[in-house]
Amino acid sequence: MTFSPSASSPPTRPVIRRYPGLDSAVALARRQGGVITFQQAMSAGLTRGQLRQLVQSDQWSHPVRGAFVVPVGPLTGDVGRNVVAPGDGRWGSGGAREPARLGGEVHAVADDGWRGGHLVAQGGPFLPVLPSGGACPGVFARPPFPLSARVRAALVGRPHAVVCGITAARLLGFPGGEPENPAEPVHLLLPPRLTRAQPRGIRLHFTELGPDEQVDLAGIPVTSPARTLADLVLAAPHREAAVAEMDAALRSGAVPNLRAAREAAAGRRGFRPTRDWWPLADGRAESGLETRLRLMLVDAGLTPPQLQWPVRDASGQSIARLDLAWPEHRLDVEADTYTTTSSAEAFHLERLRGNLLAALRWTVLRFSALDVAWYPERIVAAVERVLAGPAVRDQEELQAS
């Protein structure tokens, strides 16, 4: 019997191709937040065929026409060693340092080569780049890589564009929503007078922004948090999704209140149906499921008087914080987000918490996303029955027997 040497040898990592000019191209991409234009790559010494090989081997990505995203590691001695493959542990570690936290105004970075938030890079058009000196005062946490690089690539050649919608929400760190999909287009806002063509990898929107509806995020023009939340609410498919966006934004502190967001939405297409949704928001909600459960009970006339209600034992020690609580009736309604992927420790803690509440004579009702979607009438009936009191329940049981 014979054996193939290749069959018995351990698998090897994909070979990373080396080309003349690759190191300088990666160095330039690192200074620009992980993005390089086609013209810049050609000027660095790469050929069309080499660029095609870099993309086909997944070393680089080509999210939009005319620009590439390069997975670059931290700036160290040898630039070439910072070229990593998507499966490498350093993938997404980012390039140059990006600023930290942003307030409600457009902040300019002085004396660092910026010109209107952009810098003219060699061999290419205006391209947003990262400041070389670390964090800027009053700027949001650095946008996540590689999303930030895809956004910078989409902005190439579009000096009037502003990142908006779900893309702006992800850059600004809005919680909630679906996880980022690499195939998701970058949403950009342009003045109405510009072209209506929709490029590959980009979704263009056309409107004028107010003077306070734009902020600067590490050189990326982004709609302000209030404007971004207004866009999300107006684009939501239904009330529950819109209120969940508001709840999440309030809970995270992305917006201090809804006044500015509501003003940013007022008068725009689609605002009329949302007028009654804004008062329903509550920043104490800790999940989208909790928001949907609360709205269902509000519609049934069973508005919970307390959210995130703390419960303490006889010694004053906190034993639980209830999602939706009726303290007078000792009723706790929980949005059950436990899944088969949850840890055994989380399962044990939930059961311990339920036992402690039962010992204090609290009634705990737990409802999952399946219950909310398919059996809303059962939820309402269960809550109504507990709120009716023991005398009514005893009478119902007597009649049933």
Side-chain angles (χ1 to χ4, degrees), residues 123-181:
F126 283 97
L127 185 64
V129 300
L130 293 175
S132 58
C136 301
V139 181
F140 279 109
R142 69 176 188 176
F145 186 92
L147 174 61
S148 60
R150 290 203 299 118
V151 170
R152 295 177 191 277
L155 289 170
V156 172
R158 298 180 177 87
H160 302 290
V162 178
V163 183
C164 67
I166 184 61
T167 309
R170 297 192 191 284
L171 289 178
L172 293 171
F174 275 45
E178 296 296 327
E180 179 195 350
N181 183 349

Side-chain angles (χ1 to χ4, degrees), residues 104 212-213 224-231 233-234 250 254-266 268 271 278:
D212 299 325
E213 293 184 333
S224 67
R227 171 66 190 226
T228 300
L229 179 57
D231 292 343
V233 171
L234 294 179
L250 288 172
V255 295
N257 56 65
L258 299 179
R259 184 174 58 254
R262 193 180 190 282
E263 291 175 354
R268 295 172 56 190
F271 172 71
W278 299 86

Side-chain angles (χ1 to χ4, degrees), residues 340-400:
T340 55
T341 59
S342 300
S343 66
E345 181 183 6
F347 179 84
H348 170 72
L349 291 176
E350 282 297 328
R351 295 301 174 267
L352 176 61
R353 176 178 177 273
N355 292 338
L356 292 174
L357 288 172
L360 294 176
R361 298 184 179 179
W362 279 84
T363 300
V364 180
L365 301 178
R366 306 182 65 90
F367 302 109
S368 66
L370 181 63
D371 296 317
V372 174
W374 289 94
Y375 309 109
E377 68 285 349
R378 297 183 184 178
I379 296 175
V380 172
V383 173
E384 285 180 334
R385 192 165 185 271
V386 175
L387 294 179
V392 174
R393 291 199 300 271
D394 292 343
Q395 183 64 27
E396 290 178 351
E397 293 174 358
L398 181 62
Q399 294 177 353

Side-chain angles (χ1 to χ4, degrees), residues 2 13 24 33 48 58 71 155 158 189 205 281 286 319 324 369 389:
T2 60
R13 294 178 60 85
S24 59
R48 292 176 181 268
D58 291 331
L155 289 170
R158 298 180 177 87
L189 195 62
H205 307 264
E286 294 189 337
I319 62 172
L324 310 175

Side-chain angles (χ1 to χ4, degrees), residues 7-364:
S8 58
S9 61
T12 58
R13 294 178 60 85
V15 176
I16 298 178
R17 296 181 179 275
R18 309 296 304 168
Y19 299 120
L22 181 60
D23 288 353
S24 59
V26 171
L28 177 58
R30 185 182 304 113
R31 294 195 298 271
Q32 298 177 160
V35 62
I36 188 171
T37 68
F38 172 78
Q39 294 178 358
Q40 291 170 345
M42 297 288 286
S43 299
L46 296 174
T47 66
R48 292 176 181 268
Q50 291 168 350
L51 290 172
R52 187 180 303 110
Q53 287 294 329
L54 288 170
V55 172
Q56 291 177 349
S57 62
D58 291 331
Q59 294 184 54
W60 289 13
S61 63
H62 188 32
V64 299
R65 183 177 181 181
F68 301 87
V69 170
V70 182
V72 290
L75 185 59
T76 55
D78 183 5
V79 173
R81 293 177 183 174
N82 287 290
V83 182
V84 296
D88 193 290
R90 293 174 291 164
W91 173 270
S93 60
R97 291 168 293 177
E98 294 179 324
R101 181 98 191 147
L102 179 61
E105 302 175 357
V106 178
H107 295 268
V109 183
D111 301 326
D112 63 353
W114 292 79
R115 191 164 66 201
H118 296 75
L119 182 144
V120 180
Q122 179 181 4
F126 283 97
L127 185 64
V129 300
L130 293 175
S132 58
C136 301
V139 181
F140 279 109
R142 69 176 188 176
F145 186 92
L147 174 61
S148 60
R150 290 203 299 118
V151 170
R152 295 177 191 277
L155 289 170
V156 172
R158 298 180 177 87
H160 302 290
V162 178
V163 183
C164 67
I166 184 61
T167 309
R170 297 192 191 284
L171 289 178
L172 293 171
F174 275 45
E178 296 296 327
E180 179 195 350
N181 183 349
E184 180 180 276
V186 174
H187 290 253
L188 299 180
L189 195 62
L190 288 172
R193 65 181 182 275
L194 298 183
T195 177
R196 299 296 174 119
Q198 295 290 340
R200 175 176 64 87
I202 301 173
R203 179 69 174 90
L204 297 180
H205 307 264
F206 300 89
T207 190
E208 296 287 354
L209 283 178
D212 299 325
E213 293 184 333
Q214 177 180 336
V215 295
D216 183 281
L217 181 59
I220 301 176
V222 183
T223 52
S224 67
R227 171 66 190 226
T228 300
L229 179 57
D231 292 343
L232 295 178
V233 171
L234 294 179
H238 45 72
R239 182 193 62 169
E240 285 69 21
V243 177
E245 293 286 0
M246 299 183 218
D247 286 357
L250 288 172
R251 180 178 72 252
S252 68
V255 295
N257 56 65
L258 299 179
R259 184 174 58 254
R262 193 180 190 282
E263 291 175 354
R268 295 172 56 190
R269 178 181 299 178
F271 172 71
R272 186 182 298 273
T274 72
R275 286 183 300 183
D276 296 332
W277 299 354
W278 299 86
L280 298 174
D282 194 314
R284 293 174 294 175
E286 294 189 337
S287 69
L289 178 60
E290 187 177 324
T291 297
R292 294 169 58 195
L293 187 56
R294 185 183 83 246
L295 292 178
M296 176 189 302
L297 295 172
V298 168
D299 291 342
L302 302 172
T303 303
Q306 299 293 340
L307 275 66
Q308 308 307 322
W309 178 257
V311 176
R312 304 180 183 277
D313 58 16
S315 64
Q317 182 179 0
S318 177
I319 62 172
R321 192 158 47 88
L322 313 183
D323 289 348
L324 310 175
W326 287 258
E328 182 180 350
H329 301 271
R330 289 185 175 268
L331 170 61
D332 169 31
V333 173
E334 292 290 312
D336 192 353
T337 56
Y338 182 84
T339 65
T340 55
T341 59
S342 300
S343 66
E345 181 183 6
F347 179 84
H348 170 72
L349 291 176
E350 282 297 328
R351 295 301 174 267
L352 176 61
R353 176 178 177 273
N355 292 338
L356 292 174
L357 288 172
L360 294 176
R361 298 184 179 179
W362 279 84
T363 300
V364 180

